[in-house]
Amino acid sequence: MSESREFCPRCGDPVEDREEPLPGMPREKDAVLCDACYFEDFDLVDAPERVEVMVCAHCGAVYRGNRWVDVGAKDYTDVAIDEVSNALGIHLKAREVSWGVEPEQVDQNTIRMHCQFTGMVRDTFLEEEVVVPVNISRQTCKQCGKKAGGYWASLVQLRGTERVPTADEDARAVEIAEDIIADREEAGDRGAFITETQETDEGVDIKLSTNQLGQAISNRITRELGGHVKNYPTLVTEDGDGNEVYRVTYAIRLPKFTPGDVIELDDDDEGPILVTSSRGNLKGTRLTTGEHYESRFEEGETPPATKLGTVDDAEETTVVTVEDDHAVQVLDPETYEAKTIARPDFFDPEKPTVAVLKSRAGLHVVPESETQGQRE
């Protein structure tokens, strides 16, 4: 009885039985070849002759496709490994594939990648090594070009109402801007950056790369520091599609009074108020009684009032005697005369000294926690 076998069409040797393809699937042309002929032209790895990599000399971003991509590489060797990995192709028939790479720094702009591969094909263990040169060219990405050229689209101006912003307010505004930029960068937004931060006699100016950033930063500043913001767009040019391009100034006006200020309301004879919040309606504590104060809705964060001083102006003085539930006698810190003044709820009769503020409205006890918080 004769045995039916297939023969290699190239060398004529008999071919071992192969797995039949699934129903409806065509048989591969090289399936009838014997192993010797099959592997004669077989390439486990498809590798390019060389890989060209364009990197930004300033930020390290890599140009892929038609855009710059932040890759987070520590050096250009990491970049070369990633680019070669993306450029290599493994034969679809290979199984149990493993590989390793050894970079060789040829010069500043060339890294030779020695890549070793192993895999199983037709139950045969294969090894293959390819060498791929990586040529690195340094350019300037679009965003770094904008930064270097001083490009900006929006300006956040921090100003005070009838005052100059404090150093802490200026610093906090810049910190808020930096926090928002960091969040955008972490989310992959390469177009978010601060072009310039400038201290002026009236407050800090922050130039930003987009109008959307200016809006977000100014909104967060007013939420935290109080005040309000108005925007003033200025037409500067048209883009390639004929669309108008605007620069927008976001002018922030901080409240007239800030936490720690001591104020005297106009047409009010109930005593000075220590401001505790100026976001929304102004809030504070009456220094004569310790009662809570909040301005009316129509007055908002700046009710008609005069600033008498701040808690930083308060001085420690001796308590002479507690007269009753509403009065206490203390030494005037300037004249050292004993004076009877209002005793607010926050006064501690067990302590021998107390912080007092002397102003045109008289002598008043200041909460201990407020003076410590402002001075620390």
Side-chain angles (χ1 to χ4, degrees):
M1 184 175 182
S2 62
E3 180 182 0
S4 175
R5 301 194 62 179
E6 291 184 342
F7 295 88
C8 176
R10 181 178 298 180
C11 68
D13 288 345
V15 178
E16 295 182 4
D17 293 338
R18 305 291 180 200
E19 292 184 3
E20 292 295 326
L22 294 174
M25 297 293 292
R27 191 167 192 176
E28 296 181 22
K29 291 187 295 183
D30 60 5
V32 295
L33 295 176
C34 67
D35 285 352
C37 292
Y38 180 78
F39 287 122
E40 186 175 321
D41 300 321
F42 183 85
D43 289 320
L44 178 62
V45 182
D46 180 22
E49 291 186 4
R50 66 174 47 82
V51 172
E52 303 288 341
V53 180
M54 186 185 299
V55 300
C56 177
H58 303 279
C59 68
V62 176
Y63 193 76
R64 288 177 177 166
N66 61 352
R67 65 191 184 98
W68 290 92
V69 180
D70 288 315
V71 297
K74 296 180 179 178
D75 56 37
Y76 291 146
T77 300
D78 293 334
V79 172
I81 292 174
D82 289 341
E83 296 303 305
V84 169
S85 300
N86 293 330
L88 294 173
I90 307 299
H91 200 286
L92 293 175
K93 290 295 184 179
R95 299 292 182 267
E96 301 178 24
V97 176
S98 62
W99 73 292
V101 60
E102 294 183 8
E104 176 192 354
Q105 189 79 45
V106 179
D107 55 41
Q108 186 179 4
N109 299 317
T110 306
I111 302 175
R112 188 178 290 123
M113 310 300 291
H114 299 266
C115 309
Q116 296 85 28
F117 292 83
T118 63
M120 297 292 293
V121 179
R122 286 191 173 188
D123 297 325
T124 303
F125 178 77
L126 298 179
E127 292 182 281
E128 188 168 331
E129 179 176 346
V130 294
V131 179
V132 182
V134 179
N135 297 329
I136 297 175
S137 61
R138 292 167 178 80
Q139 304 291 334
T140 299
C141 72
K142 183 177 180 180
Q143 300 308 324
C144 288
K146 285 185 174 182
K147 291 179 184 179
Y151 173 86
W152 61 277
S154 65
L155 171 65
V156 173
Q157 291 184 324
L158 190 71
R159 302 293 186 264
T161 302
E162 298 182 29
R163 67 181 181 89
V164 176
T166 66
D168 287 343
E169 287 172 329
D170 282 342
R172 182 56 188 150
V174 173
E175 186 177 353
I176 288 172
E178 291 172 342
D179 288 344
I180 290 179
I181 295 295
D183 290 341
R184 299 296 173 85
E185 289 178 342
E186 188 175 349
D189 184 357
R190 301 196 73 251
F193 59 86
I194 297 175
T195 304
E196 181 185 17
T197 299
Q198 182 179 10
E199 298 284 349
T200 75
D201 293 338
E202 298 178 329
V204 69
D205 289 350
I206 307 171
K207 291 182 178 179
L208 301 152
S209 58
T210 69
N211 291 328
Q212 194 271 345
L213 274 175
Q215 182 72 68
I217 290 170
S218 57
N219 286 345
R220 188 177 296 184
I221 289 173
T222 53
R223 283 201 305 271
E224 181 171 325
L225 301 181
H228 58 273
V229 59
K230 293 183 179 180
N231 60 76
Y232 302 94
T234 302
L235 178 64
V236 290
T237 186
E238 291 185 354
D239 61 18
D241 298 324
N243 299 314
E244 295 179 335
V245 178
Y246 288 85
R247 277 180 175 170
V248 182
T249 297
Y250 296 91
I252 298 173
R253 284 289 177 182
L254 297 177
K256 180 178 180 180
F257 306 116
T258 63
D261 286 347
V262 177
I263 64 175
E264 184 177 48
L265 298 174
D266 296 350
D267 302 323
D268 181 294
D269 58 0
E270 296 183 38
I273 294 169
L274 171 63
V275 177
T276 57
S277 173
S278 55
R279 284 180 286 178
N281 285 15
L282 184 139
K283 303 172 184 63
T285 303
R286 290 276 186 186
L287 295 185
T288 51
T289 63
E291 294 177 350
H292 174 73
Y293 166 83
E294 183 170 346
S295 63
R296 294 189 299 271
F297 174 78
E298 62 272 15
E299 295 173 335
E301 62 196 13
T302 312
T306 302
K307 182 176 175 180
L308 300 176
T310 72
V311 291
D312 285 336
D313 301 324
E315 298 182 66
E316 201 79 12
T317 191
T318 301
V319 175
V320 178
T321 183
V322 178
E323 296 187 354
D324 55 36
D325 291 341
H326 304 289
V328 60
Q329 193 174 94
V330 300
L331 290 182
D332 185 310
E334 292 181 1
T335 65
Y336 300 103
E337 297 178 49
K339 291 187 177 180
T340 298
I341 62 175
R343 174 187 169 179
D345 292 343
F346 53 77
F347 172 76
D348 185 353
E350 301 299 323
K351 290 190 175 181
T353 61
V354 67
V356 295
L357 175 68
K358 189 173 183 179
S359 69
R360 72 179 193 182
L363 203 59
H364 294 88
V365 179
V366 175
E368 185 78 15
S369 59
E370 295 295 337
T371 57
Q372 289 178 346
Q374 292 292 321
R375 290 169 180 168
E376 286 177 353

